[in-house]
């Protein structure tokens, strides 16, 4: 564990640093707030001890600066002039703890131990968020940059969005990025795969039902719209939704209220809807399979996600990213990829898009020896 001590008193830096080094910690010191900020900018510290009363930049300013930098270290404020009001103010600004001077050794070591547990939890949470929410959009192609810019523009609004693209292109990832960057990010994000729910159950899933409204309705059930109240509802493969469910979704979008199956009572809901489809909805409208009025309600903003064949320049970055991801999840070692092997992957057609590429990368990591060669790609992929 690496610890930084920011204090203008040489005696505190020396004695605390010596004690912590004796305890087995790696310690660095800074005499001023500015020096401490500079050290944090260059390397990561698990715990930062920061004095409040310092010439120039004081500890409160340091705390504010570290918060603005997005530093996730456990910051422990120390002061010889401490009072309850100051301590509370520091905690509100994001400090992990407040310890008065002179420092009590046992209290200090307990704080470090607690901070270590907190740091571990923060790291685990980051991993879990990546697994649950998916990771960042990988790529530098013009089409991906355009989507990033579009997401940044629309995320802060409540505009309904229709995400279009073939299977495996990452429509769900686009929807999650919009939600995570929106003002509703602290509220529920509910996903519904309209193609995976039988037509006779889709209304119950979306709008809920009352006990006894049908044979298997043994208790009241809140639908996905109610579950997403205040947050975001992602309707995936909306082109497969039944006509009856389309009519009810249209009503909810128009009136912001719904009624459960088996009930005449209206329930108000505040939900942002993001829909996705791999179908051409205008063609479905012409065939009579999709309501035109619902389409116009959903397609306030349309985001078209390119196929992998339309963004081949991103394949090397994606191969690297998927190797990192798979190695982290499974413990497999990353393998160097020969240039000829990468060239074959770039030239290949990808009907399964990003999803297919990830499967191929995992297959090559499993079946290749100490590196991924062109021969491996020909044997296991082409």
């Amino acid at each position: 564990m690496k610890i930084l001590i920011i204090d203008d008193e040489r005696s505190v830096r020396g004695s605390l640093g010596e004690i912590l080094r004796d305890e087995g910690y790696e310690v660095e010191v800074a005499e001023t707030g500015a020096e401490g900020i500079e050290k944090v900018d260059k390397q990561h510290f698990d715990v930062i001890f920061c004095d409040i009363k310092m010439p120039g930049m004081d500890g409160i300013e340091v705390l504010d600066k570290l918060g603005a930098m997005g530093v996730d270290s456990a910051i422990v404020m120390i002061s010889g002039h401490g009072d309850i009001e100051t301590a509370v103010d520091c905690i509100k600004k994001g400090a992990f703890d407040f310890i008065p001077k002179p420092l009590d050794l046992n209290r200090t070591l307990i704080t470090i131990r607690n901070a270590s547990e907190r740091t571990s939890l923060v790291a685990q949470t980051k991993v879990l968020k990546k697994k649950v929410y998916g990771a960042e959009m990988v790529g530098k192609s013009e089409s991906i940059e355009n989507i990033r810019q579009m997401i940044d523009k629309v995320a802060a609004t409540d505009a309904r969005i229709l995400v279009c693209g073939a299977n495996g292109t990452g429509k769900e990832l686009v929807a999650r990025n919009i939600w995570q960057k929106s003002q509703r990010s602290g509220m529920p994000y509910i996903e519904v795969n309209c193609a995976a729910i039988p037509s006779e159950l889709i209304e119950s899933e979306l709008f809920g039902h009352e006990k006894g409204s049908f044979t298997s309705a043994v208790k009241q059930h809140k639908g996905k719209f109610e579950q997403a109240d205040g947050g975001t509802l992602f309707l995936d493969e909306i082109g497969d939704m039944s006509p009856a469910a389309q009519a009810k979704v249209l009503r909810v979008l128009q009136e912001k209220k719904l009624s459960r199956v088996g009930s005449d009572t209206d329930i108000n809901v505040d939900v942002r809807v993001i829909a996705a489809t791999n179908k051409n909805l205008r063609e479905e409208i012409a065939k009579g399979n999709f309501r035109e009025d619902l389409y116009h309600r959903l397609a306030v903003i349309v985001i078209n996600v390119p196929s992998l064949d339309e963004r081949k320049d991103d394949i090397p970055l994606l191969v690297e990213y998927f190797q990192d991801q798979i190695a982290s999840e499974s413990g497999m070692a990353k393998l160097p990829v020969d240039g000829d092997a990468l060239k074959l992957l770039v030239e290949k057609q990808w009907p399964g898009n990003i999803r297919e590429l990830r499967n191929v990368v995992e297959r090559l990591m499993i079946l290749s020896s100490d590196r991924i060669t062109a021969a491996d790609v020909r044997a296991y992929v082409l």
Side-chain angles (χ1 to χ4, degrees), residues 128-135 137 151 155 163 170-182 185 187-192 232 234 274:
L128 287 172
K129 279 185 176 179
K130 275 198 170 184
K131 289 182 179 179
V132 174
Y133 298 138
M137 296 176 66
I151 289 172
V163 186
K171 299 187 294 295
E172 303 92 337
L173 184 57
V174 171
R176 283 193 176 275
N177 270 262
I178 293 168
W179 166 64
Q180 287 179 300
K181 292 187 175 185
S182 75
S185 60
M187 300 302 286
Y189 176 84
I190 304 295
E191 293 184 7
V192 181
T232 302
F234 176 51
I274 302 174

PDB file of all heavy atoms in Angstrom, residues 128-135 137 151 155 163 170-182 185 187-192 232 234 274:
ATOM      1  N   LEU A 128     -16.993  -4.720 -11.124  1.00  0.00           N
ATOM      2  CA  LEU A 128     -18.397  -5.139 -11.223  1.00  0.00           C
ATOM      3  C   LEU A 128     -19.171  -4.232 -12.173  1.00  0.00           C
ATOM      4  O   LEU A 128     -20.007  -4.710 -12.950  1.00  0.00           O
ATOM      5  CB  LEU A 128     -19.056  -5.128  -9.838  1.00  0.00           C
ATOM      6  CG  LEU A 128     -18.632  -6.260  -8.906  1.00  0.00           C
ATOM      7  CD1 LEU A 128     -19.202  -6.041  -7.512  1.00  0.00           C
ATOM      8  CD2 LEU A 128     -19.093  -7.607  -9.445  1.00  0.00           C
ATOM      9  N   LYS A 129     -18.913  -2.927 -12.108  1.00  0.00           N
ATOM     10  CA  LYS A 129     -19.616  -2.013 -13.002  1.00  0.00           C
ATOM     11  C   LYS A 129     -19.288  -2.325 -14.455  1.00  0.00           C
ATOM     12  O   LYS A 129     -20.145  -2.252 -15.328  1.00  0.00           O
ATOM     13  CB  LYS A 129     -19.235  -0.558 -12.683  1.00  0.00           C
ATOM     14  CG  LYS A 129     -20.008   0.017 -11.501  1.00  0.00           C
ATOM     15  CD  LYS A 129     -19.693   1.482 -11.310  1.00  0.00           C
ATOM     16  CE  LYS A 129     -20.554   2.075 -10.188  1.00  0.00           C
ATOM     17  NZ  LYS A 129     -20.253   3.498  -9.971  1.00  0.00           N
ATOM     18  N   LYS A 130     -18.034  -2.689 -14.702  1.00  0.00           N
ATOM     19  CA  LYS A 130     -17.680  -3.038 -16.074  1.00  0.00           C
ATOM     20  C   LYS A 130     -18.422  -4.286 -16.522  1.00  0.00           C
ATOM     21  O   LYS A 130     -18.880  -4.402 -17.650  1.00  0.00           O
ATOM     22  CB  LYS A 130     -16.169  -3.265 -16.193  1.00  0.00           C
ATOM     23  CG  LYS A 130     -15.378  -1.992 -16.410  1.00  0.00           C
ATOM     24  CD  LYS A 130     -14.005  -2.292 -16.946  1.00  0.00           C
ATOM     25  CE  LYS A 130     -13.311  -1.015 -17.401  1.00  0.00           C
ATOM     26  NZ  LYS A 130     -12.005  -1.283 -18.010  1.00  0.00           N
ATOM     27  N   LYS A 131     -18.536  -5.266 -15.589  1.00  0.00           N
ATOM     28  CA  LYS A 131     -19.226  -6.495 -15.944  1.00  0.00           C
ATOM     29  C   LYS A 131     -20.725  -6.264 -16.116  1.00  0.00           C
ATOM     30  O   LYS A 131     -21.367  -6.816 -16.994  1.00  0.00           O
ATOM     31  CB  LYS A 131     -18.983  -7.562 -14.867  1.00  0.00           C
ATOM     32  CG  LYS A 131     -17.560  -8.103 -14.867  1.00  0.00           C
ATOM     33  CD  LYS A 131     -17.379  -9.185 -13.823  1.00  0.00           C
ATOM     34  CE  LYS A 131     -15.965  -9.745 -13.851  1.00  0.00           C
ATOM     35  NZ  LYS A 131     -15.769 -10.784 -12.821  1.00  0.00           N
ATOM     36  N   VAL A 132     -21.305  -5.434 -15.232  1.00  0.00           N
ATOM     37  CA  VAL A 132     -22.752  -5.223 -15.257  1.00  0.00           C
ATOM     38  C   VAL A 132     -23.145  -4.244 -16.359  1.00  0.00           C
ATOM     39  O   VAL A 132     -24.089  -4.462 -17.105  1.00  0.00           O
ATOM     40  CB  VAL A 132     -23.236  -4.691 -13.891  1.00  0.00           C
ATOM     41  CG1 VAL A 132     -24.715  -4.331 -13.953  1.00  0.00           C
ATOM     42  CG2 VAL A 132     -23.023  -5.747 -12.814  1.00  0.00           C
ATOM     43  N   TYR A 133     -22.423  -3.143 -16.474  1.00  0.00           N
ATOM     44  CA  TYR A 133     -22.832  -2.093 -17.382  1.00  0.00           C
ATOM     45  C   TYR A 133     -22.155  -2.164 -18.745  1.00  0.00           C
ATOM     46  O   TYR A 133     -22.494  -1.421 -19.646  1.00  0.00           O
ATOM     47  CB  TYR A 133     -22.534  -0.720 -16.758  1.00  0.00           C
ATOM     48  CG  TYR A 133     -23.280  -0.458 -15.496  1.00  0.00           C
ATOM     49  CD1 TYR A 133     -22.672   0.147 -14.410  1.00  0.00           C
ATOM     50  CD2 TYR A 133     -24.614  -0.821 -15.371  1.00  0.00           C
ATOM     51  CE1 TYR A 133     -23.372   0.396 -13.240  1.00  0.00           C
ATOM     52  CE2 TYR A 133     -25.316  -0.577 -14.206  1.00  0.00           C
ATOM     53  CZ  TYR A 133     -24.687   0.034 -13.156  1.00  0.00           C
ATOM     54  OH  TYR A 133     -25.368   0.273 -12.002  1.00  0.00           O
ATOM     55  N   GLY A 134     -21.199  -3.061 -18.876  1.00  0.00           N
ATOM     56  CA  GLY A 134     -20.439  -3.059 -20.103  1.00  0.00           C
ATOM     57  C   GLY A 134     -19.358  -2.006 -20.016  1.00  0.00           C
ATOM     58  O   GLY A 134     -19.333  -1.181 -19.123  1.00  0.00           O
ATOM     59  N   ALA A 135     -18.438  -2.037 -20.946  1.00  0.00           N
ATOM     60  CA  ALA A 135     -17.317  -1.120 -20.857  1.00  0.00           C
ATOM     61  C   ALA A 135     -17.499   0.027 -21.830  1.00  0.00           C
ATOM     62  O   ALA A 135     -18.539   0.205 -22.429  1.00  0.00           O
ATOM     63  CB  ALA A 135     -16.026  -1.884 -21.134  1.00  0.00           C
ATOM     64  N   MET A 137     -17.009   2.475 -25.134  1.00  0.00           N
ATOM     65  CA  MET A 137     -17.064   2.199 -26.564  1.00  0.00           C
ATOM     66  C   MET A 137     -15.642   2.264 -27.108  1.00  0.00           C
ATOM     67  O   MET A 137     -14.979   3.293 -27.007  1.00  0.00           O
ATOM     68  CB  MET A 137     -17.970   3.202 -27.265  1.00  0.00           C
ATOM     69  CG  MET A 137     -19.413   3.114 -26.808  1.00  0.00           C
ATOM     70  SD  MET A 137     -20.436   4.382 -27.564  1.00  0.00           S
ATOM     71  CE  MET A 137     -20.352   3.857 -29.272  1.00  0.00           C
ATOM     72  N   ILE A 151     -24.024  10.894 -28.476  1.00  0.00           N
ATOM     73  CA  ILE A 151     -24.382  10.510 -27.111  1.00  0.00           C
ATOM     74  C   ILE A 151     -24.189  11.687 -26.157  1.00  0.00           C
ATOM     75  O   ILE A 151     -25.045  11.972 -25.311  1.00  0.00           O
ATOM     76  CB  ILE A 151     -23.551   9.290 -26.651  1.00  0.00           C
ATOM     77  CG1 ILE A 151     -24.009   8.032 -27.393  1.00  0.00           C
ATOM     78  CG2 ILE A 151     -23.663   9.086 -25.140  1.00  0.00           C
ATOM     79  CD1 ILE A 151     -23.129   6.820 -27.153  1.00  0.00           C
ATOM     80  N   ALA A 155     -27.545  12.854 -24.224  1.00  0.00           N
ATOM     81  CA  ALA A 155     -27.641  12.210 -22.905  1.00  0.00           C
ATOM     82  C   ALA A 155     -28.277  13.115 -21.866  1.00  0.00           C
ATOM     83  O   ALA A 155     -29.074  12.655 -21.044  1.00  0.00           O
ATOM     84  CB  ALA A 155     -26.250  11.760 -22.446  1.00  0.00           C
ATOM     85  N   VAL A 163     -32.224   3.410 -31.422  1.00  0.00           N
ATOM     86  CA  VAL A 163     -30.890   2.939 -31.806  1.00  0.00           C
ATOM     87  C   VAL A 163     -31.062   1.821 -32.831  1.00  0.00           C
ATOM     88  O   VAL A 163     -31.705   0.803 -32.539  1.00  0.00           O
ATOM     89  CB  VAL A 163     -30.099   2.429 -30.585  1.00  0.00           C
ATOM     90  CG1 VAL A 163     -28.670   2.076 -30.993  1.00  0.00           C
ATOM     91  CG2 VAL A 163     -30.091   3.461 -29.468  1.00  0.00           C
ATOM     92  N   GLY A 170     -23.611  -3.609 -30.944  1.00  0.00           N
ATOM     93  CA  GLY A 170     -23.411  -2.870 -29.704  1.00  0.00           C
ATOM     94  C   GLY A 170     -24.495  -1.855 -29.403  1.00  0.00           C
ATOM     95  O   GLY A 170     -24.232  -0.822 -28.767  1.00  0.00           O
ATOM     96  N   LYS A 171     -25.714  -2.126 -29.838  1.00  0.00           N
ATOM     97  CA  LYS A 171     -26.819  -1.183 -29.580  1.00  0.00           C
ATOM     98  C   LYS A 171     -27.070  -1.031 -28.079  1.00  0.00           C
ATOM     99  O   LYS A 171     -27.341   0.064 -27.588  1.00  0.00           O
ATOM    100  CB  LYS A 171     -28.097  -1.677 -30.270  1.00  0.00           C
ATOM    101  CG  LYS A 171     -27.989  -1.783 -31.788  1.00  0.00           C
ATOM    102  CD  LYS A 171     -29.311  -2.103 -32.441  1.00  0.00           C
ATOM    103  CE  LYS A 171     -29.849  -3.478 -32.107  1.00  0.00           C
ATOM    104  NZ  LYS A 171     -28.983  -4.572 -32.620  1.00  0.00           N
ATOM    105  N   GLU A 172     -26.964  -2.156 -27.341  1.00  0.00           N
ATOM    106  CA  GLU A 172     -27.175  -2.102 -25.889  1.00  0.00           C
ATOM    107  C   GLU A 172     -26.129  -1.220 -25.226  1.00  0.00           C
ATOM    108  O   GLU A 172     -26.422  -0.485 -24.273  1.00  0.00           O
ATOM    109  CB  GLU A 172     -27.114  -3.518 -25.280  1.00  0.00           C
ATOM    110  CG  GLU A 172     -28.114  -4.495 -25.875  1.00  0.00           C
ATOM    111  CD  GLU A 172     -27.536  -5.279 -27.050  1.00  0.00           C
ATOM    112  OE1 GLU A 172     -26.563  -4.794 -27.685  1.00  0.00           O
ATOM    113  OE2 GLU A 172     -28.066  -6.369 -27.333  1.00  0.00           O
ATOM    114  N   LEU A 173     -24.894  -1.266 -25.728  1.00  0.00           N
ATOM    115  CA  LEU A 173     -23.814  -0.459 -25.161  1.00  0.00           C
ATOM    116  C   LEU A 173     -24.072   1.028 -25.387  1.00  0.00           C
ATOM    117  O   LEU A 173     -23.816   1.859 -24.504  1.00  0.00           O
ATOM    118  CB  LEU A 173     -22.478  -0.870 -25.775  1.00  0.00           C
ATOM    119  CG  LEU A 173     -21.219  -0.199 -25.230  1.00  0.00           C
ATOM    120  CD1 LEU A 173     -21.100  -0.412 -23.726  1.00  0.00           C
ATOM    121  CD2 LEU A 173     -19.982  -0.720 -25.938  1.00  0.00           C
ATOM    122  N   VAL A 174     -24.596   1.369 -26.552  1.00  0.00           N
ATOM    123  CA  VAL A 174     -24.951   2.763 -26.832  1.00  0.00           C
ATOM    124  C   VAL A 174     -26.014   3.231 -25.839  1.00  0.00           C
ATOM    125  O   VAL A 174     -25.916   4.316 -25.252  1.00  0.00           O
ATOM    126  CB  VAL A 174     -25.458   2.909 -28.283  1.00  0.00           C
ATOM    127  CG1 VAL A 174     -26.041   4.316 -28.504  1.00  0.00           C
ATOM    128  CG2 VAL A 174     -24.331   2.660 -29.268  1.00  0.00           C
ATOM    129  N   ALA A 175     -27.041   2.398 -25.627  1.00  0.00           N
ATOM    130  CA  ALA A 175     -28.118   2.762 -24.701  1.00  0.00           C
ATOM    131  C   ALA A 175     -27.588   2.959 -23.290  1.00  0.00           C
ATOM    132  O   ALA A 175     -27.961   3.915 -22.595  1.00  0.00           O
ATOM    133  CB  ALA A 175     -29.200   1.682 -24.718  1.00  0.00           C
ATOM    134  N   ARG A 176     -26.715   2.074 -22.838  1.00  0.00           N
ATOM    135  CA  ARG A 176     -26.167   2.184 -21.479  1.00  0.00           C
ATOM    136  C   ARG A 176     -25.301   3.429 -21.338  1.00  0.00           C
ATOM    137  O   ARG A 176     -25.295   4.086 -20.300  1.00  0.00           O
ATOM    138  CB  ARG A 176     -25.352   0.941 -21.133  1.00  0.00           C
ATOM    139  CG  ARG A 176     -26.221  -0.256 -20.773  1.00  0.00           C
ATOM    140  CD  ARG A 176     -25.385  -1.359 -20.147  1.00  0.00           C
ATOM    141  NE  ARG A 176     -26.230  -2.456 -19.712  1.00  0.00           N
ATOM    142  CZ  ARG A 176     -26.857  -2.491 -18.545  1.00  0.00           C
ATOM    143  NH1 ARG A 176     -26.737  -1.476 -17.707  1.00  0.00           N
ATOM    144  NH2 ARG A 176     -27.603  -3.528 -18.215  1.00  0.00           N
ATOM    145  N   ASN A 177     -24.544   3.767 -22.384  1.00  0.00           N
ATOM    146  CA  ASN A 177     -23.720   4.980 -22.325  1.00  0.00           C
ATOM    147  C   ASN A 177     -24.584   6.222 -22.211  1.00  0.00           C
ATOM    148  O   ASN A 177     -24.247   7.164 -21.490  1.00  0.00           O
ATOM    149  CB  ASN A 177     -22.824   5.060 -23.568  1.00  0.00           C
ATOM    150  CG  ASN A 177     -21.485   4.381 -23.382  1.00  0.00           C
ATOM    151  OD1 ASN A 177     -20.488   5.020 -23.093  1.00  0.00           O
ATOM    152  ND2 ASN A 177     -21.452   3.067 -23.527  1.00  0.00           N
ATOM    153  N   ILE A 178     -25.714   6.234 -22.921  1.00  0.00           N
ATOM    154  CA  ILE A 178     -26.632   7.366 -22.826  1.00  0.00           C
ATOM    155  C   ILE A 178     -27.155   7.476 -21.401  1.00  0.00           C
ATOM    156  O   ILE A 178     -27.191   8.565 -20.814  1.00  0.00           O
ATOM    157  CB  ILE A 178     -27.794   7.196 -23.827  1.00  0.00           C
ATOM    158  CG1 ILE A 178     -27.271   7.294 -25.259  1.00  0.00           C
ATOM    159  CG2 ILE A 178     -28.880   8.251 -23.580  1.00  0.00           C
ATOM    160  CD1 ILE A 178     -28.273   6.865 -26.310  1.00  0.00           C
ATOM    161  N   TRP A 179     -27.587   6.344 -20.836  1.00  0.00           N
ATOM    162  CA  TRP A 179     -28.124   6.357 -19.469  1.00  0.00           C
ATOM    163  C   TRP A 179     -27.063   6.806 -18.463  1.00  0.00           C
ATOM    164  O   TRP A 179     -27.321   7.652 -17.601  1.00  0.00           O
ATOM    165  CB  TRP A 179     -28.628   4.961 -19.102  1.00  0.00           C
ATOM    166  CG  TRP A 179     -28.880   4.772 -17.640  1.00  0.00           C
ATOM    167  CD1 TRP A 179     -29.797   5.417 -16.871  1.00  0.00           C
ATOM    168  CD2 TRP A 179     -28.195   3.878 -16.756  1.00  0.00           C
ATOM    169  NE1 TRP A 179     -29.733   4.993 -15.562  1.00  0.00           N
ATOM    170  CE2 TRP A 179     -28.755   4.040 -15.469  1.00  0.00           C
ATOM    171  CE3 TRP A 179     -27.175   2.956 -16.932  1.00  0.00           C
ATOM    172  CZ2 TRP A 179     -28.306   3.309 -14.368  1.00  0.00           C
ATOM    173  CZ3 TRP A 179     -26.737   2.225 -15.842  1.00  0.00           C
ATOM    174  CH2 TRP A 179     -27.306   2.410 -14.574  1.00  0.00           C
ATOM    175  N   GLN A 180     -25.844   6.257 -18.579  1.00  0.00           N
ATOM    176  CA  GLN A 180     -24.802   6.571 -17.612  1.00  0.00           C
ATOM    177  C   GLN A 180     -24.404   8.045 -17.648  1.00  0.00           C
ATOM    178  O   GLN A 180     -23.982   8.601 -16.637  1.00  0.00           O
ATOM    179  CB  GLN A 180     -23.570   5.693 -17.854  1.00  0.00           C
ATOM    180  CG  GLN A 180     -23.775   4.248 -17.420  1.00  0.00           C
ATOM    181  CD  GLN A 180     -22.549   3.399 -17.705  1.00  0.00           C
ATOM    182  OE1 GLN A 180     -22.127   3.265 -18.840  1.00  0.00           O
ATOM    183  NE2 GLN A 180     -21.981   2.813 -16.666  1.00  0.00           N
ATOM    184  N   LYS A 181     -24.550   8.691 -18.811  1.00  0.00           N
ATOM    185  CA  LYS A 181     -24.182  10.101 -18.928  1.00  0.00           C
ATOM    186  C   LYS A 181     -25.364  11.034 -18.705  1.00  0.00           C
ATOM    187  O   LYS A 181     -25.211  12.254 -18.780  1.00  0.00           O
ATOM    188  CB  LYS A 181     -23.575  10.371 -20.312  1.00  0.00           C
ATOM    189  CG  LYS A 181     -22.222   9.693 -20.514  1.00  0.00           C
ATOM    190  CD  LYS A 181     -21.584  10.107 -21.820  1.00  0.00           C
ATOM    191  CE  LYS A 181     -20.176   9.509 -21.930  1.00  0.00           C
ATOM    192  NZ  LYS A 181     -19.477   9.987 -23.135  1.00  0.00           N
ATOM    193  N   SER A 182     -26.535  10.474 -18.424  1.00  0.00           N
ATOM    194  CA  SER A 182     -27.734  11.281 -18.279  1.00  0.00           C
ATOM    195  C   SER A 182     -27.952  11.699 -16.830  1.00  0.00           C
ATOM    196  O   SER A 182     -27.288  11.212 -15.912  1.00  0.00           O
ATOM    197  CB  SER A 182     -28.954  10.496 -18.758  1.00  0.00           C
ATOM    198  OG  SER A 182     -29.318   9.506 -17.801  1.00  0.00           O
ATOM    199  N   SER A 185     -28.918   8.829 -14.325  1.00  0.00           N
ATOM    200  CA  SER A 185     -27.973   7.730 -14.101  1.00  0.00           C
ATOM    201  C   SER A 185     -28.067   7.137 -12.698  1.00  0.00           C
ATOM    202  O   SER A 185     -27.699   5.987 -12.478  1.00  0.00           O
ATOM    203  CB  SER A 185     -26.541   8.198 -14.375  1.00  0.00           C
ATOM    204  OG  SER A 185     -26.192   9.274 -13.516  1.00  0.00           O
ATOM    205  N   MET A 187     -30.831   6.633 -11.175  1.00  0.00           N
ATOM    206  CA  MET A 187     -32.140   5.984 -11.096  1.00  0.00           C
ATOM    207  C   MET A 187     -32.106   4.673 -11.893  1.00  0.00           C
ATOM    208  O   MET A 187     -31.134   4.385 -12.594  1.00  0.00           O
ATOM    209  CB  MET A 187     -33.219   6.935 -11.630  1.00  0.00           C
ATOM    210  CG  MET A 187     -33.316   8.240 -10.851  1.00  0.00           C
ATOM    211  SD  MET A 187     -33.664   7.979  -9.097  1.00  0.00           S
ATOM    212  CE  MET A 187     -35.399   7.512  -9.182  1.00  0.00           C
ATOM    213  N   PRO A 188     -33.178   3.868 -11.820  1.00  0.00           N
ATOM    214  CA  PRO A 188     -33.133   2.534 -12.441  1.00  0.00           C
ATOM    215  C   PRO A 188     -32.895   2.563 -13.953  1.00  0.00           C
ATOM    216  O   PRO A 188     -33.321   3.487 -14.647  1.00  0.00           O
ATOM    217  CB  PRO A 188     -34.517   1.953 -12.128  1.00  0.00           C
ATOM    218  CG  PRO A 188     -35.004   2.704 -10.946  1.00  0.00           C
ATOM    219  CD  PRO A 188     -34.425   4.081 -11.062  1.00  0.00           C
ATOM    220  N   TYR A 189     -32.201   1.532 -14.412  1.00  0.00           N
ATOM    221  CA  TYR A 189     -32.055   1.261 -15.841  1.00  0.00           C
ATOM    222  C   TYR A 189     -32.600  -0.138 -16.058  1.00  0.00           C
ATOM    223  O   TYR A 189     -32.039  -1.122 -15.575  1.00  0.00           O
ATOM    224  CB  TYR A 189     -30.587   1.345 -16.258  1.00  0.00           C
ATOM    225  CG  TYR A 189     -30.336   0.990 -17.711  1.00  0.00           C
ATOM    226  CD1 TYR A 189     -30.490   1.944 -18.709  1.00  0.00           C
ATOM    227  CD2 TYR A 189     -29.940  -0.293 -18.079  1.00  0.00           C
ATOM    228  CE1 TYR A 189     -30.258   1.634 -20.043  1.00  0.00           C
ATOM    229  CE2 TYR A 189     -29.715  -0.616 -19.403  1.00  0.00           C
ATOM    230  CZ  TYR A 189     -29.869   0.348 -20.384  1.00  0.00           C
ATOM    231  OH  TYR A 189     -29.648   0.030 -21.702  1.00  0.00           O
ATOM    232  N   ILE A 190     -33.716  -0.240 -16.750  1.00  0.00           N
ATOM    233  CA  ILE A 190     -34.405  -1.512 -16.926  1.00  0.00           C
ATOM    234  C   ILE A 190     -34.368  -1.909 -18.397  1.00  0.00           C
ATOM    235  O   ILE A 190     -34.703  -1.104 -19.272  1.00  0.00           O
ATOM    236  CB  ILE A 190     -35.876  -1.427 -16.443  1.00  0.00           C
ATOM    237  CG1 ILE A 190     -35.935  -0.956 -14.986  1.00  0.00           C
ATOM    238  CG2 ILE A 190     -36.576  -2.772 -16.615  1.00  0.00           C
ATOM    239  CD1 ILE A 190     -35.320  -1.903 -13.988  1.00  0.00           C
ATOM    240  N   GLU A 191     -33.975  -3.151 -18.661  1.00  0.00           N
ATOM    241  CA  GLU A 191     -33.909  -3.657 -20.026  1.00  0.00           C
ATOM    242  C   GLU A 191     -35.038  -4.641 -20.293  1.00  0.00           C
ATOM    243  O   GLU A 191     -35.370  -5.460 -19.438  1.00  0.00           O
ATOM    244  CB  GLU A 191     -32.573  -4.369 -20.270  1.00  0.00           C
ATOM    245  CG  GLU A 191     -31.363  -3.462 -20.252  1.00  0.00           C
ATOM    246  CD  GLU A 191     -30.089  -4.222 -20.609  1.00  0.00           C
ATOM    247  OE1 GLU A 191     -30.187  -5.414 -20.986  1.00  0.00           O
ATOM    248  OE2 GLU A 191     -29.010  -3.637 -20.502  1.00  0.00           O
ATOM    249  N   VAL A 192     -35.601  -4.571 -21.477  1.00  0.00           N
ATOM    250  CA  VAL A 192     -36.613  -5.530 -21.914  1.00  0.00           C
ATOM    251  C   VAL A 192     -36.252  -5.984 -23.326  1.00  0.00           C
ATOM    252  O   VAL A 192     -36.105  -5.139 -24.222  1.00  0.00           O
ATOM    253  CB  VAL A 192     -38.028  -4.918 -21.937  1.00  0.00           C
ATOM    254  CG1 VAL A 192     -39.043  -5.971 -22.376  1.00  0.00           C
ATOM    255  CG2 VAL A 192     -38.405  -4.350 -20.580  1.00  0.00           C
ATOM    256  N   THR A 232     -34.663   5.009 -16.712  1.00  0.00           N
ATOM    257  CA  THR A 232     -34.622   4.756 -18.156  1.00  0.00           C
ATOM    258  C   THR A 232     -35.072   3.335 -18.454  1.00  0.00           C
ATOM    259  O   THR A 232     -34.661   2.390 -17.776  1.00  0.00           O
ATOM    260  CB  THR A 232     -33.193   4.979 -18.694  1.00  0.00           C
ATOM    261  OG1 THR A 232     -32.786   6.312 -18.405  1.00  0.00           O
ATOM    262  CG2 THR A 232     -33.125   4.737 -20.192  1.00  0.00           C
ATOM    263  N   PHE A 234     -35.055   0.528 -21.486  1.00  0.00           N
ATOM    264  CA  PHE A 234     -34.467   0.169 -22.775  1.00  0.00           C
ATOM    265  C   PHE A 234     -35.292  -0.950 -23.391  1.00  0.00           C
ATOM    266  O   PHE A 234     -35.326  -2.068 -22.877  1.00  0.00           O
ATOM    267  CB  PHE A 234     -33.012  -0.266 -22.587  1.00  0.00           C
ATOM    268  CG  PHE A 234     -32.359  -0.746 -23.861  1.00  0.00           C
ATOM    269  CD1 PHE A 234     -32.406   0.024 -25.016  1.00  0.00           C
ATOM    270  CD2 PHE A 234     -31.682  -1.955 -23.897  1.00  0.00           C
ATOM    271  CE1 PHE A 234     -31.803  -0.413 -26.196  1.00  0.00           C
ATOM    272  CE2 PHE A 234     -31.074  -2.398 -25.060  1.00  0.00           C
ATOM    273  CZ  PHE A 234     -31.130  -1.625 -26.212  1.00  0.00           C
ATOM    274  N   ILE A 274     -35.536   4.424 -24.336  1.00  0.00           N
ATOM    275  CA  ILE A 274     -34.584   4.226 -25.429  1.00  0.00           C
ATOM    276  C   ILE A 274     -34.956   2.898 -26.077  1.00  0.00           C
ATOM    277  O   ILE A 274     -35.056   1.877 -25.384  1.00  0.00           O
ATOM    278  CB  ILE A 274     -33.134   4.177 -24.921  1.00  0.00           C
ATOM    279  CG1 ILE A 274     -32.777   5.467 -24.172  1.00  0.00           C
ATOM    280  CG2 ILE A 274     -32.171   3.960 -26.078  1.00  0.00           C
ATOM    281  CD1 ILE A 274     -31.396   5.424 -23.514  1.00  0.00           C
TER     282      ILE A 274
END
